[in-house]
Amino acid sequence: MKLVFQLVLWVVIGVLGYLLFNSVYGEVKFNDLKVVRYQKSVNKLKDIQKGQLAFKQLNGKFAGSFDELVKFLDTAEFTLTERRDTLVLDEEATKRYRVDTRKEITIIDTLGRASVKDSLYQGTDRYKTMMNVPGTDKQFEMEAGTVLKNDAPIPVFEAKVSKDVILFDQPKDYVAKEKQTVSVEGVNGAYLSVGSMTEISTAGNWPQSYGDSED
């Protein structure tokens, strides 16, 4: 009986040791995979951010859909300008003081035009697939509108994806814990996102380790 008891005890110790190792190793694997998938989605969100900022620069608002944004990027162009300061005769002051008086003015010269998509995406067409969440058949959610600041409407946009989508094939308890993250080094909350529909911000909610969140 003593021998049987010892064998059972060793079996229990072995099982508990395996479960403990598997639990720790499983979380390590989850965290490694999470970082890789987040990085891929962050890269897409950065492309969306660039496109939206260009859209606002030329249209005074943000695009409300990916179709609208992609159509814009297909044809839009930036105007290339050069600013230079120069001195010219101030006729009013010269007349008043009866002596040649000069003033400094800024002249803006138009140098030409450049394709927005080539400037932002280095000549690639990756902007046409920036709405697709990597490794899934889902798309990022995106909307645009305005928020009031000092009684004035300010354009805003937000693009986001739930962590459930990015980590769709991972253990539910790990994903649930990840959605409650509150950390300087982590992606806080249930979504990976850029921009905001409630605040005047075009930044992403990821930490610096995934790249600059400001464009």
Side-chain angles (χ1 to χ4, degrees), residues 72-83:
F72 160 79
L73 291 170
D74 276 334
T75 59
E77 293 181 324
F78 286 128
T79 299
L80 303 178
T81 61
E82 180 183 60
R83 296 169 61 93

Side-chain angles (χ1 to χ4, degrees), residues 97-116:
Y97 302 118
R98 297 182 180 180
V99 61
D100 285 353
T101 305
R102 297 186 179 278
K103 62 181 179 180
E104 186 177 271
I105 64 170
T106 298
I107 297 176
I108 300 177
D109 296 321
T110 299
L111 303 179
R113 301 183 70 83
S115 166
V116 171

Side-chain angles (χ1 to χ4, degrees), residues 29-53:
K29 288 198 302 180
F30 171 79
N31 287 328
D32 289 344
L33 179 142
K34 174 193 70 179
V35 169
V36 172
R37 292 190 182 179
Y38 280 5
Q39 186 65 69
K40 291 179 180 179
S41 288
V42 165
N43 292 342
K44 293 277 191 172
L45 288 171
K46 286 182 180 179
D47 280 345
I48 295 171
Q49 181 189 50
K50 290 177 182 177
Q52 283 284 31
L53 290 174

Side-chain angles (χ1 to χ4, degrees), residues 1-9:
M1 289 297 295
K2 182 178 179 181
L3 180 61
V4 172
F5 177 77
Q6 289 178 332
L7 288 174
V8 170
L9 183 60

Side-chain angles (χ1 to χ4, degrees), residues 44-147:
K44 293 277 191 172
L45 288 171
K46 286 182 180 179
D47 280 345
I48 295 171
Q49 181 189 50
K50 290 177 182 177
Q52 283 284 31
L53 290 174
F55 189 97
K56 180 178 180 292
Q57 182 178 337
L58 297 182
N59 295 283
K61 62 178 183 178
F62 292 110
S65 69
F66 285 114
D67 287 342
E68 183 181 16
L69 185 55
V70 170
K71 184 177 180 180
F72 160 79
L73 291 170
D74 276 334
T75 59
E77 293 181 324
F78 286 128
T79 299
L80 303 178
T81 61
E82 180 183 60
R83 296 169 61 93
R84 56 188 176 87
D85 296 327
T86 187
L87 293 175
V88 299
L89 183 67
D90 187 332
E91 295 182 0
E92 184 177 334
T94 298
K95 184 178 180 180
R96 182 184 309 120
Y97 302 118
R98 297 182 180 180
V99 61
D100 285 353
T101 305
R102 297 186 179 278
K103 62 181 179 180
E104 186 177 271
I105 64 170
T106 298
I107 297 176
I108 300 177
D109 296 321
T110 299
L111 303 179
R113 301 183 70 83
S115 166
V116 171
K117 63 183 179 182
D118 290 343
S119 299
L120 299 182
Y121 307 108
Q122 293 75 50
T124 71
D125 64 352
R126 69 176 191 267
Y127 66 93
K128 294 183 177 180
T129 59
M130 62 186 173
M131 70 290 295
N132 299 328
V133 180
T136 76
D137 59 355
K138 306 294 184 181
Q139 291 191 345
F140 292 96
E141 302 172 44
M142 188 174 76
E143 57 182 321
T146 60
V147 297

Side-chain angles (χ1 to χ4, degrees), residues 162-174:
S162 170
K163 291 178 178 178
D164 288 313
V165 173
I166 299 175
L167 305 169
F168 66 95
D169 58 350
Q170 296 304 295
K172 300 300 181 185
D173 55 335
Y174 287 177

